């Protein structure tokens, strides 16, 4: 290891959108800091997502306040590569002190002096504070039910790139959140036979009465919800910005276009897969969420006397497709021609490198709005860090502001000198 020893007030680990936002706020508050990124700025947007991905929210919404997307109209859905470029441009705008290609291997509190020692791929760093901005979606999770079957290609959605990557034959996509739905749709359009395993989900209308759902969640205060509604811990959100952001995720429509919907994937046994008999219930739950949002939107328009065009057709539902009327509960994979499984089943975090007392008994970060239980250790970018919007581009910017403020305030306390010291 090259031994380079740096001392810095605040070390930010990770230069995705969370790290860039942290750096902007720390810069504004004149907190000396350094951001270390093991790859490139916003790497996940470049290489951690599938090729055709565009932002789920329109350009006016899914951005930081200080910069617009160059070359895109407000209502465009920006392709992932341009989202990454945006964060690079953003960091350049205020000359963010980011060092790329440096991995943080270990963070430990110093035993006989304040601060932390950080072991990196390039040497040691001493810092008074550390901010973990290493992402909400770090390690792909494939549930233990995944079959051990060499004849089937199994990948996580994080490793899916495009339809050509898959062998000939049908695909089972497990998970119908935004990733699963978008991938299933892309594969179906590419001519693949697709089974989509649908669990509990919310599915807001892409737009209603001339306003995008991002706008509706904003004005209705849903982005700011401080905690998940009880019982919704396993409920995913199914939205898409694909195809110009024209479509609400509608499972019946996907089925009418050729996708076979199935319930939650339960088990694999001897070459066959069983599904829970909850498909209709899950779709009905999603419908309810959709219709509740239309109701709330109508009430908001009424209450505020807004002049937005009525949209009664938004309430019309398509007929149930065959796969909902007679849900499949057992499927022989070979007979169904399935040669690949895509696990769109989410991610977990990995803080094994952060050797501090900032975790609860379940190993989850213990914090209040990102300020952890271990003084000097902060988290940013985690789901529900302060609100529903915390992992999203605009939300993380606000959370980072709060954390930077906390750091600046602590520095002020420490700089205080009483009259005998002045
Ligand atoms: C498929 C998908 C689509 C999404 N679409 C949208 C969207 O449209 N709009 C939206 O607002 N949000 C979206 N999100 C959510 C969120 O915006 C992204 O997940 C975003 O990448 C999170 O940013 P982050 O900076 O918190 O984490 P990341 O982007 O994951 O950045 C963390 C960085 O930390 C680095 N790092 C990790 N460990 C270390 C270490 N030990 N040392 C040094 N560096 C390290 C990583 O290399 C990485 O670059 C999407 C998420 C997914 C999965």
């Amino acid at each position: 290891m090259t031994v380079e020893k740096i001392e810095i007030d605040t070390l930010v680990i990770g230069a995705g959108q969370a790290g860039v936002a942290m750096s902007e706020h720390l810069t504004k508050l004149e907190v000396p800091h350094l951001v270390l990124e093991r790859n490139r700025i916003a790497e996940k947007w470049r290489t951690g997502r599938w090729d055709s991905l565009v932002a789920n929210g329109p350009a006016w919404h899914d951005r930081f306040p200080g910069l617009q997307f160059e070359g895109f109209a407000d209502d465009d859905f920006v392709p992932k590569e341009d989202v990454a470029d945006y964060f690079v441009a953003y960091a350049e705008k205020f000359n963010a002190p980011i060092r790329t290609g440096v991995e943080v291997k270990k963070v430990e509190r110093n035993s006989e002096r304040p601060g932390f020692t950080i072991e990196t791929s390039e040497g040691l760093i001493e810092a008074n504070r550390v901010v973990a901005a290493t992402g909400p979606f770090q390690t792909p999770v494939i549930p233990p039910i995944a079959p051990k079957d060499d004849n089937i290609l199994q990948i996580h959605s994080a490793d899916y790139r495009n339809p050509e990557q898959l062998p000939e034959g049908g695909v089972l996509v497990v998970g119908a959140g935004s990733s699963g739905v978008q991938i299933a749709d892309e594969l179906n359009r590419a001519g693949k036979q697709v089974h989509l395993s649908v669990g509990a989900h919310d599915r807001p209308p892409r737009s209603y009465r001339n306003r995008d759902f991002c706008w509706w969640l904003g004005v209705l205060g849903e982005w700011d919800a401080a905690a998940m509604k009880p019982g919704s811990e396993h409920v995913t959100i199914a939205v898409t910005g694909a195809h110009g952001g024209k479509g609400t995720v509608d499972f019946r429509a996907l089925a009418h276009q050729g996708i076979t919907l199935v319930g939650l994937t339960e088990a694999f046994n001897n070459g066959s897969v069983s599904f829970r008999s909850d498909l209709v219930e899950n779709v009905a739950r999603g419908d309810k969420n959709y219709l509740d949002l239309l109701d709330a939107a109508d009430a908001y328009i009424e209450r505020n006397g807004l002049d937005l065009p009525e949209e009664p057709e938004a309430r019309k539902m398509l007929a149930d497709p065959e796969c909902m009327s007679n849900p499949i509960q057992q499927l022989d994979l070979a007979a169904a021609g399935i040669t690949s499984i895509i696990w769109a089943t989410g991610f977990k975090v990995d803080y094994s490198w952060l050797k501090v007392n900032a975790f609860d008994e379940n190993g989850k970060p213990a914090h209040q709005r990102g300020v952890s239980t271990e003084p000097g250790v902060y988290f940013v970018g985690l789901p529900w860090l302060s609100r529903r919007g915390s992992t999203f581009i605009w939300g993380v910017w606000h959370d980072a502001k709060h954390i930077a403020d906390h750091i600046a305030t602590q520095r002020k306390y420490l700089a205080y000198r009483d009259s005998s010291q002045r």
Side-chain angles (χ1 to χ4, degrees), residues 14 16-18 37-38 44 49 55-56 62 104 135 137 391-393:
Q17 60 207 32
E37 164 58 53
R38 68 177 164 205
K44 284 282 160 70
R49 317 267 188 261
N56 284 328
D62 278 16
V104 168
F137 306 123
T391 50
F392 295 89
I393 294 171

Side-chain angles (χ1 to χ4, degrees), residues 198-280:
V198 182
H201 59 270
D202 284 350
R203 57 166 197 106
R206 175 72 262 178
S207 80
Y208 181 57
R209 299 184 71 173
N210 268 4
R211 291 289 180 271
D212 190 82
F213 92 88
C214 289
W215 191 88
W216 283 118
L217 262 52
V219 296
L220 296 171
E222 294 224 6
W223 287 127
D224 287 332
M228 277 182 236
K229 289 180 192 136
S232 67
E233 294 77 8
H234 301 291
V235 179
T236 176
I237 181 167
V239 289
T240 175
H243 316 296
K246 297 278 179 283
T248 296
V249 170
D250 179 342
F251 287 94
R252 289 183 190 79
L254 289 172
H256 288 300
Q257 285 154 22
I259 293 179
T260 305
L261 308 176
V262 289
L264 209 76
T265 302
E266 202 154 43
F268 290 81
N269 268 315
N270 300 327
S272 87
V273 50
S274 54
F275 305 106
R276 247 187 235 173
S277 55
D278 59 359
L279 173 63
V280 172

Side-chain angles (χ1 to χ4, degrees), residues 191-403:
K192 294 244 173 225
Q193 187 59 51
V194 178
H195 286 75
L196 174 61
S197 173
V198 182
H201 59 270
D202 284 350
R203 57 166 197 106
R206 175 72 262 178
S207 80
Y208 181 57
R209 299 184 71 173
N210 268 4
R211 291 289 180 271
D212 190 82
F213 92 88
C214 289
W215 191 88
W216 283 118
L217 262 52
V219 296
L220 296 171
E222 294 224 6
W223 287 127
D224 287 332
M228 277 182 236
K229 289 180 192 136
S232 67
E233 294 77 8
H234 301 291
V235 179
T236 176
I237 181 167
V239 289
T240 175
H243 316 296
K246 297 278 179 283
T248 296
V249 170
D250 179 342
F251 287 94
R252 289 183 190 79
L254 289 172
H256 288 300
Q257 285 154 22
I259 293 179
T260 305
L261 308 176
V262 289
L264 209 76
T265 302
E266 202 154 43
F268 290 81
N269 268 315
N270 300 327
S272 87
V273 50
S274 54
F275 305 106
R276 247 187 235 173
S277 55
D278 59 359
L279 173 63
V280 172
E281 186 191 319
N282 291 336
V283 172
R285 188 194 190 287
D287 292 345
K288 179 171 175 350
N289 165 262
Y290 168 87
L291 292 167
D292 284 353
L293 203 127
L294 301 194
D295 289 345
D298 285 341
Y300 181 88
I301 290 172
E302 173 92 35
R303 212 167 47 243
N304 292 284
L306 300 186
D307 183 20
L308 293 172
E310 298 207 358
E311 200 182 328
E313 61 280 13
R315 290 177 183 275
K316 289 190 189 135
M317 296 281 168
L318 294 170
D320 280 0
E322 168 64 19
C323 57
M324 281 178 67
S325 315
N326 290 304
I328 299 173
Q329 293 199 261
Q330 189 88 19
L331 191 68
D332 183 297
L333 293 165
I338 292 174
T339 55
S340 331
I341 301 176
I342 297 180
W343 295 94
T345 38
F347 299 81
K348 61 182 181 183
V349 288
D350 174 11
Y351 291 112
S352 50
W353 50 272
L354 189 51
K355 311 275 184 209
V356 298
N357 192 13
F359 300 93
D360 66 16
E361 60 283 3
N362 300 316
K364 293 207 166 126
H367 67 88
Q368 192 191 24
R369 292 182 70 187
V371 180
S372 90
T373 46
E374 168 96 42
V377 175
Y378 300 83
F379 296 97
V380 64
L382 292 178
W384 296 93
L385 189 101
S386 74
R387 68 187 96 187
R388 182 177 181 172
S390 286
T391 50
F392 295 89
I393 294 171
W394 66 271
V396 81
W397 190 88
H398 291 281
D399 285 347
K401 187 164 190 275
H402 172 74
I403 293 163

